Amino acid sequence: MKDWHGIFEQNMLVPLHPQRARQPLKESTAFQCVLKWLDGPLIKQGVLDALLDAGCHLRVSLFDVSYRHFFGRTWKSTVRPAEQLSRQPPRVVFNESLYFHTSLNHPNIVAVVEVVTEGRKRDGTLQTLSCGFGILRIFSNNPESPTSASQDKRLRLYHGTPRALLHPLLQDPIEQNKHMTLMENCSLQYTLKPHPLLEPAFHLLPENLLVSGLQQIPGLLEAHGENGDALRKPRLQKSVTWHLDDVFFTLYPSLERFEQELLELLTNDHFREGDGLPDGSALDILERRLCVGVHNGLGFVQRPQVVVLVPEMAVALTRSASFSRKVGSSSKASPGNQALVLRSRLRLPEMVCHPAFAVVFQLEYAFSSPSGVGSNAALVTSPSSVACMHTVRWAVWNPSLEASSGRVTLPLQGGTRPNPSRCLVYKVPPAGMSSEEVKQVESGTVQFQYSLSSEGHLDTPTGDVSSPKARRPSGKPPTSPSSPPASSPQGHAVLQDSPVGPGLSLSQLAASPRSPAQRHSRRPSQQPLGSEPAPAQAVFPVEGRLSHLEVDLSHTPLVPGTCVAEQLQELPFTPMHAPIIAGTQTRSSGRKPSRASMVLLQSSGFPEILDANKQPAEAVNPADLVKFNPQKEESDRLQSNEIVLQFLAFSRVPQDSWAAPWPHTVYFTFQFYRFPPTVTPRLQLVELDAAGKAGSGALLRLLVPIDKDGSCDGGSAGFQLKYLVDPGFLKPGEQRWFARYLAAQTLQIDVWDGDSLLLIGSAAVPMKHLLRQGRPAVQVSYELEVVATEYEQDTMVLSGDVTPFGSVKPIGVYTVVKGRLHLTLANVGHMCEQRGRNSSSLPPSRSRVISNDGDSRFEGGSLLTRGGPRSAKNVVQAQKLADVDSELAAMLFTHTHLGSKGPPGAGREVDAVRRRKLERMRSVRLQEARGELGCRRTSVVAQQSICAQHSRGLQVIAAYRERTKAENIARVLSLAITKEHTVYATLGTAEFFEFELRNPHNTQHTVTIEMDNPELSIVVDSQEWRYFKEAANLHTPVEEGMFHLQGGLAPRLFLRPRETAHIPFKYQTFSAGQGSAELRCGKGADVGSPGKPTAAPTKHAKVLFCGSGGKPMAVLCLTVEPQPHVVDQVFRFYHPELTFLKKAIRLPPWHTLPGVPVGTPGSEPPVHVRCSDPNVICETHSVGPGEPRDVFLKVASGPSPEIKDFFITIYTDRWLATPLQIWQVHLHSLQRVDVACVTGQWTRLSLVLRGTQAVRKVRAFTSHPQELTTDPKGVFVLPPHGVQDLHVGVRPLRAGSRFLHLNLVDVDFHQLVASWLVCLSCRLPLISKAFEIQLAAGEGQGANKRITYTNPYPTRRTFHLHSDHPDLLQFKEDSFQVEGGETYTIGLRFAPCQRAGVKEILIYINDHEDKNEETFCVKVTYQ
């Protein structure tokens, strides 16, 4: 019985032709071919006489006629004596069966049968002669194909050798080719038919391998009977399960030096092959992978398992100390020679006790592969350029048939030696200078602990698999014979020291296939999730596209011997999109205006801010510290605050040449406190004289209001807004909340272009300086940076670095300072109109303990009295019953109109009281008519009618009172046990309070607590209760196991007679009440002055404490007054409509103090996130100690131009009590347009415009007018319900992927009609020439240079010149004409640069269609 090495070396397969391997695959079909006998005089008598012991045998090979390519392995029959061909009749009987399976269902896939004669010459050497060949068609379009007919057939033979099929003259159909000569009276009798009984053994036989039934196949039992054909009815051997633990690799001479040399050699290969790396880039190791599979010498039995290896030092940071010591002691690796460790347990259930079954280890490295630079470079970075795989070492382990456990150390192999993956392997050290002992370890070693599972397996029975129950339906994947998971030898299900691996990594999501020739081995049928791969996938493509998951391979069922469906283990996942850095770097900064700016602003005539005494407000320096004293604010006699905002001027900072030009008008959006979102009117930027510069080269432009006709307002410059925060408008107790708001909040102001409606940037101004602290008025002036934030596309992260833990290094946001906003804030105090307050208007108590003992809301009066609580006086004014009860009034009014047709309407019931008053007025008038003699009789009749009506009304009232008496008495009595409490809630903050519940009865009760508001909950965890009590500084007792919880039922509490218990409550809301100020599409903006403060809707909650009999014991009525919350940071995303936005926002580092070590255990608090929108997925995961935290968002964008706003709260405490930060997110949904282009070259496209209900005068605006232009350029008419094309031209100035914005605006009403998000993917053209010059930096005169360009065409051509830095380089002529073959001199004018450095300026030479002809690169060094 041969071992694995012998079988592997004898069964090497020739792969398919690459073109054939790329074609779609089909279901693999098994065949049985019986070669019966050979007829005819194939061998001449002279040949037989010249050979001793001449014999004849057949050779069969698979051949692809389309590509003239032999593949698979040639099968050889047994040798028969050749003397029978010289007898009469000439016949050689073989009767041998040949088996194979293939998925290449194509007529041009044939089997070539060759007749070979062999014998020994006189000198004893062996000689073989080809005596002819035949072409056996396996697949055919003919219905009488072998797949449907199994009768005997006669194969015609041709002269020559099958090697003639490789000649290009032999085209299909080969049988009819003139070069083919038929052998007369010679043929081969055969039978070809499908053999479905072979399908259960597909996993043991590679595809396209021709085997004989007499050949021993590892994994199959020997056949019964005398014929010995084991493949006619194959029987599978019983499989066993092996477990591999503590797998680690040691490389020579050390891991660091091995990987360093590997990277150097790969880099040199890149340069030798002409695929040099871009400047500044280098190959990096992304992943170290281990492929482990069971191989029977013919092929892999199942798809190899792919797991991730990590350096031993990386494992020590994330694993327990015991495991680290165990690995360290076993590997004996020093810090300089650390090993690669597998953190999971390997489970191999497909092993068979056979010498040919072996475990194959393949060590692979995944490298980052930068895309090539040149004309053939792809427009967009393809996934295949992200990672490339290389096999560096492999090893084979033949487990002993008697061993059950132990430790194994294997030498690693490499180089050109054939390996199971059939690919090139990294070289091994030269062996000429090494001894035999050194050769065993110099290529590296792999060590592991193995154990044989002692539990039984649910294997395929050893009986005949040809029974109907064993057969699978045709066209379905066969059943796998591998066993289910078995428990480990240690007796427990999961090893504690074998956690899951690092999860998905970069190479899994995108990698390049190394060899398309192996794709033929894949199966088109899909396996169910969680099932084992089918045996039909016997030859698994090791070189295929990378895709794997690392799971906990030691997971086993708890009950041995039972068939239990395995639960897939969730893996730690690191997303592939770039995280956005959240912190102060994305916020604008404010400073005190410079003295030069103050001179200009003071001379512009801005209105002066005066206090209540007409004195100028006190100016405050924004750099001074603010000492906030809440008591001083509450005791201030000026309780009315007038908040003033003055928008003075806007200055633009110097920017690059491709920046957008100055806007003509701007407007601002923001929201102050709980006032409605404010949208200011459009303000025109008025330029001052040239002498007015505000320092740093920024030119000031005043903000001037615009009249309705579009002209500038003749009044004073600037725009002023006032907000009156009067205690008369504030709710009780809200004054202190407003003071906290000013002390902690930052006002976010968005600056918009008034014409294009594009966002210029955002500014943030702190409001803490508005705290007067007893002063009559304060004012503070700011010069705020207006920052535009651009987020990098998610695909760009694939070119970034990767940490050793597999996570992506942070890539921050790009922030550009667009300008500076000059703003003045002021707070002017005023006296309140109503200084005195009664007790009911005072703020409620801030006590967090609510008591209902001896406190009653019942104050006497009528049972029908509705409304709020009465005054303290026990005096009730008499009122008519119909005036205080609308339901009774409706009944009385309906009774008086019984004769009316139809039922009373809803309006009658609502206006019943008013109509009764009208009836009484009519009666009064009738009584006044008694004085007239002519109407005396009429008055008597009317009086009788009124008396009858009153009598009927009294009867109705008596019946109504009797019916509602019990209800009203119960309602009034419930006021005695009702307690009211007011909670001031903010977004995400948990408001904690306790309710003293007293059992007033002399019997024990089980109290059920029912609540009608999901945002109100009971604190049932004693640790959480204790946490909130410490935060609130309460000293009431805490009880363990206080509540009885059962399923989804209300919590229950046991109370003894006359016992009092403290019930802890928590109110926490995540629904946002704050809106955002945006200029929406199709809606005019209210640009008037801000109105009165609009409070968020008051919420109510009711808690009912019911005793054992269901009767209420106490009632708590909770009034929730929502308060504005602090927004720490604002994110604004522009995303394509109707898609999912997936973003990762990186939290700022927690360790900001010097000397704090990174990754200290217990130093990092837990992080939790919540979102105000339940439709937004928001979560965070812990990557590891010392690693940054990311908040992951997934939100669906709506139709364009919808804007979705929501808030994210971040907590660092376990109970989510107080948010650490609150973020506001704006998601703009835009129509997406993808453009792939080349820098400096004009790319054109068209957009479809659809008219609205009315005629509109519109204009297109772009965020980058230097790169994105539209046609028509100016204002044009968009007809109603019409369709019109908007032509767009793109000429990008720099390479990369980025976003541009395109808005279509109604110029009459300044409304947004349509908006697009233009996604550019730009690449650099091929640079044909390069120049280098040196210039002086500073305020110089620049330099004039010349370059030449030769027209490569034979005719006269016109060329256009462009540059990617028009601010640094101008041309003497932007276009020129030159005759064919002549040379033209291009004049260049280099402008001076203020700073020293190196600039690479590209010169684009385009043709008359603006297509790039050539590109020159000028490297300018400014010294």
Side-chain angles (χ1 to χ4, degrees), residues 983-993 1013-1019 1024 1028 1065-1071 1099 1101 1118 1120 1168-1170 1209-1211 1213-1220:
V983 173
Y984 295 89
T986 57
L987 177 69
T989 302
E991 293 295 331
F992 172 76
F993 60 92
N1013 194 322
E1015 295 177 344
L1016 180 64
S1017 60
I1018 298 179
V1019 180
E1024 182 180 4
F1028 281 108
F1065 286 94
K1066 178 181 68 174
Y1067 182 87
Q1068 190 171 24
T1069 178
F1070 294 100
S1071 59
K1099 301 180 182 180
L1118 199 65
V1120 181
H1168 308 277
V1169 292
R1170 292 293 184 270
T1209 54
I1210 302 174
Y1211 303 87
D1213 59 284
R1214 176 184 176 185
W1215 308 111
L1216 281 67
T1218 304
L1220 180 69

Side-chain angles (χ1 to χ4, degrees), residues 52-73:
L52 301 177
D53 300 328
C56 177
H57 68 270
L58 301 178
R59 297 182 181 180
V60 183
S61 304
L62 296 178
F63 182 73
D64 191 344
V65 179
S66 301
Y67 303 103
R68 294 190 296 273
H69 179 77
F70 285 95
F71 61 95
R73 185 178 65 89

Side-chain angles (χ1 to χ4, degrees), residues 233-466:
K233 293 182 179 181
R235 297 181 302 140
L236 304 177
Q237 286 184 324
K238 184 178 180 180
S239 61
V240 296
T241 301
W242 286 85
H243 297 282
L244 305 184
D245 297 290
D246 302 344
V247 181
F248 60 93
F249 286 74
T250 304
L251 297 175
Y252 179 87
S254 66
L255 178 62
E256 181 180 0
R257 293 183 56 185
F258 176 83
E259 294 180 348
Q260 181 180 2
E261 181 184 9
L262 180 61
L263 289 174
E264 292 176 356
L265 294 177
L266 286 176
T267 304
N268 295 335
D269 287 344
H270 274 276
F271 285 100
R272 280 199 299 267
E273 295 173 1
D275 188 14
L277 301 177
D279 294 339
S281 62
L283 286 177
D284 291 326
I285 297 176
L286 302 184
E287 195 177 71
R288 306 163 183 88
R289 296 156 42 106
L290 173 63
C291 299
V292 182
V294 176
H295 202 283
N296 68 341
L298 303 178
F300 286 101
V301 177
Q302 297 291 350
R303 183 183 297 274
Q305 303 177 24
V306 182
V307 291
V308 178
L309 300 175
V310 294
E312 184 178 356
M313 297 303 297
V315 176
L317 295 177
T318 56
R319 302 287 286 270
S320 62
S322 60
F323 181 80
S324 302
R325 289 192 298 267
K326 178 170 60 177
V327 174
S329 60
S330 59
S331 61
K332 299 180 181 180
S334 62
N337 187 21
Q338 59 175 329
L340 295 178
V341 181
L342 175 63
R343 300 188 292 184
S344 303
R345 187 185 203 189
L346 291 174
R347 177 178 174 273
L348 304 174
E350 60 267 19
M351 281 295 294
V352 175
C353 293
H354 192 281
F357 270 72
V359 180
V360 177
F361 301 84
Q362 300 180 68
L363 180 59
E364 299 177 347
Y365 272 61
F367 302 89
S368 64
S369 177
S371 354
V373 179
S375 58
N376 296 330
L379 298 181
V380 182
T381 305
S382 61
S384 61
S385 63
V386 175
C388 58
M389 295 294 303
H390 292 286
T391 302
V392 296
R393 291 291 183 266
W394 64 282
V396 176
W397 174 54
N398 269 110
S400 176
L401 300 181
E402 295 80 16
S404 60
S405 64
R407 172 167 292 277
V408 175
T409 301
L410 300 175
L412 299 178
Q413 304 180 34
T416 58
R417 183 176 180 180
N419 57 84
S421 62
R422 301 182 179 90
C423 63
L424 295 178
V425 183
Y426 182 60
K427 68 171 186 176
V428 296
M433 303 296 294
S434 303
S435 62
E436 291 297 326
E437 291 78 11
V438 175
K439 291 180 181 179
Q440 294 294 325
V441 297
E442 64 181 358
S443 298
T445 58
V446 54
Q447 302 181 37
F448 56 91
Q449 182 82 24
Y450 68 93
S451 60
L452 177 63
S453 177
S454 59
E455 303 295 333
H457 308 284
L458 298 178
D459 298 313
T460 303
T462 57
D464 194 347
V465 297
S466 62

